[in-house]
Amino acid sequence: MKNSILHYSVGALLYCPANNKSIVLSIITERFGRLFSLALCLEDTIRDDCVEEAEEILVSSLRTIYFHHQTDDFYLPKIFVRVRSPRQIPLLTERLEEASTILSGFIIPKFSLENADEYIQTIQAVNEASKNKIYMMPIFESPSIINLLDRYQLLYTLKEKLDAVAEFVLNIRVGANDLCHKFGFRRHSTESIHSLRPIANILSDVMTVFGMDYVVSGPVWEYYHGANWKSGLETELRQDRLCGFIGKTVIHPNQIPVVNAAYMVSEHDLKDARVILDWNPDHNSLVAGSVQRERMNEYKTHYNWAQKTIMLAEVFGVTQQTLA
């Protein structure tokens, strides 16, 4: 299991088209707060005939943010670029020059057997030439994982490939909307992705294969205004977290504080986690009542949970509320 704060700290990943020129001012003025990450998208949000222009704007935006950050004190989020193809990765890194130091990595869309080797080799090559580590975040959203006859073998084969470069894999991400598209599904603001069984089963399989070794982020919630958008997001986040997903792709700033609040740790859980991690494994008994004497803590059973709880507390904070 990933045991570094870095892997848990991507959190709410705000998607923005790479040709959005206003993003520079939003970052410099901390319009979105101080606890989120940023994804500049060159893929689905950009028209095919506008990619080159979007690349120009992206490079200009990142260079401007970089130079402002040399003199101004503002929150600099982790910044990722969602690319269309492997060739964009070295080209953009080179064009950014010194500004590439504020780039955390690249998001790999529709990660599949057809493109995995080329993306992985490209990330390795870029890191060999870079002074700072450049991460990758593959997205499992390709229609190829829908096929039940092939899914398990496909996922484990892709995991084997990623395991070879695990030091460069920051998160595993899932693209539920692309998968829903294949079925013609669209959930309403009162419905959770975890109730769409064909999609939920795919997400569960991704978690089963990757969740013991990687941080897997939750899928996008497309509602940000109107009736039920917040309560619906809160419901899905509770289910995300219960199923092991950490963080979430967001498409509007309204969603950022909701995601951050959902991953706060209760004082109750934090106290139990500390007790479990401080346990002497040589003690005669490896089981005891919890701090509040309402559940059982077991050293061997809850150690991984305790590690994860401590890291979530460090990233998202602690709440006195009992989490439902």
Side-chain angles (χ1 to χ4, degrees):
M1 184 177 72
K2 291 291 186 182
N3 57 3
S4 166
I5 292 294
L6 179 66
H7 296 91
Y8 289 78
S9 64
V10 176
L13 179 64
L14 176 64
Y15 261 64
C16 174
N19 59 1
N20 184 341
K21 296 179 181 180
S22 68
I23 193 64
V24 173
L25 183 60
S26 295
I27 296 300
I28 292 172
T29 60
E30 296 186 349
R31 177 187 168 199
F32 307 136
R34 298 179 66 91
L35 188 58
F36 72 99
S37 298
L38 177 67
L40 298 174
C41 181
L42 287 166
E43 202 222 6
D44 289 347
T45 62
I46 304 296
R47 259 178 28 202
D48 293 348
D49 60 344
C50 295
V51 175
E52 289 187 10
E53 179 188 15
E55 289 177 344
E56 293 284 347
I57 295 171
L58 182 148
V59 170
S60 175
S61 295
L62 290 184
R63 288 181 62 81
T64 302
I65 293 170
Y66 168 79
F67 285 115
H68 273 279
H69 199 250
Q70 302 308 297
T71 56
D72 301 336
D73 182 22
F74 57 87
Y75 171 73
L76 185 65
K78 292 178 180 64
I79 300 175
F80 303 89
V81 175
R82 175 170 167 144
V83 293
R84 287 181 167 229
S85 68
R87 68 171 186 82
Q88 287 180 308
I89 293 174
L91 291 176
L92 290 171
T93 305
E94 290 171 9
R95 291 174 63 184
L96 284 169
E97 298 177 334
E98 66 267 47
S100 66
T101 57
I102 68 169
L103 186 64
S104 294
F106 292 91
I107 298 170
I108 313 301
K110 300 171 181 62
F111 189 67
S112 65
L113 287 180
E114 288 71 30
N115 60 33
D117 289 338
E118 189 175 1
Y119 272 118
I120 288 170
Q121 291 165 10
T122 302
I123 289 292
Q124 287 176 305
V126 166
N127 273 282
E128 288 174 3
S130 176
K131 295 179 181 178
N132 56 294
K133 186 171 283 189
I134 303 293
Y135 290 96
M136 64 185 294
M137 296 201 296
I139 310 179
F140 286 87
E141 58 186 349
S142 170
S144 60
I145 64 172
I146 294 175
N147 190 329
L148 284 170
L149 290 173
D150 303 328
R151 186 187 303 163
Y152 294 166
Q153 184 61 53
L154 173 67
L155 289 174
Y156 279 108
T157 300
L158 289 172
K159 182 176 186 295
E160 184 178 345
K161 291 178 180 295
L162 289 173
D163 285 349
V165 290
E167 63 177 308
F168 302 129
V169 181
L170 190 58
N171 277 183
I172 301 295
R173 310 195 72 83
V174 290
N177 278 358
D178 278 47
L179 297 172
C180 284
H181 167 66
K182 300 304 292 184
F183 291 93
F185 294 160
R186 187 177 193 181
R187 64 199 187 278
H188 294 102
S189 61
T190 56
E191 299 164 335
S192 165
I193 197 69
H194 299 282
S195 297
L196 287 173
R197 296 313 309 167
I199 308 303
N201 288 341
I202 296 172
L203 303 185
S204 177
D205 288 344
V206 171
M207 179 60 68
T208 299
V209 174
F210 290 91
M212 290 180 284
D213 299 310
Y214 297 91
V215 171
V216 185
S217 179
V220 67
W221 174 261
E222 60 186 350
Y223 296 91
Y224 56 86
H225 192 61
N228 306 309
W229 80 265
K230 185 178 179 183
S231 60
L233 175 55
E234 289 171 337
T235 297
E236 185 165 290
L237 280 162
R238 284 194 295 272
Q239 295 173 358
D240 283 350
R241 186 168 175 177
L242 181 63
C243 294
F245 296 96
I246 296 171
K248 200 167 184 69
T249 297
V250 301
I251 44 81
H252 193 278
N254 284 354
Q255 298 175 336
I256 293 173
V258 184
V259 173
N260 289 335
Y263 283 95
M264 294 181 75
V265 171
S266 69
E267 283 191 342
H268 177 189
D269 281 350
L270 183 60
K271 288 177 181 178
D272 278 357
R274 286 172 172 163
V275 168
I276 292 165
L277 294 181
D278 288 341
W279 216 309
N280 180 358
D282 295 325
H283 195 276
N284 290 338
S285 176
L286 297 180
V287 60
S290 66
V291 173
Q292 294 189 345
R293 299 297 186 218
E294 65 180 20
R295 59 183 180 183
M296 192 65 70
N297 286 336
E298 294 186 57
Y299 174 78
K300 291 184 177 180
T301 301
H302 298 125
Y303 188 85
N304 286 344
W305 169 85
Q307 280 191 316
K308 184 182 295 186
T309 298
I310 293 294
M311 285 183 276
L312 288 174
E314 289 197 36
V315 174
F316 297 99
V318 181
T319 176
Q320 294 183 353
Q321 297 179 350
T322 300
L323 301 179

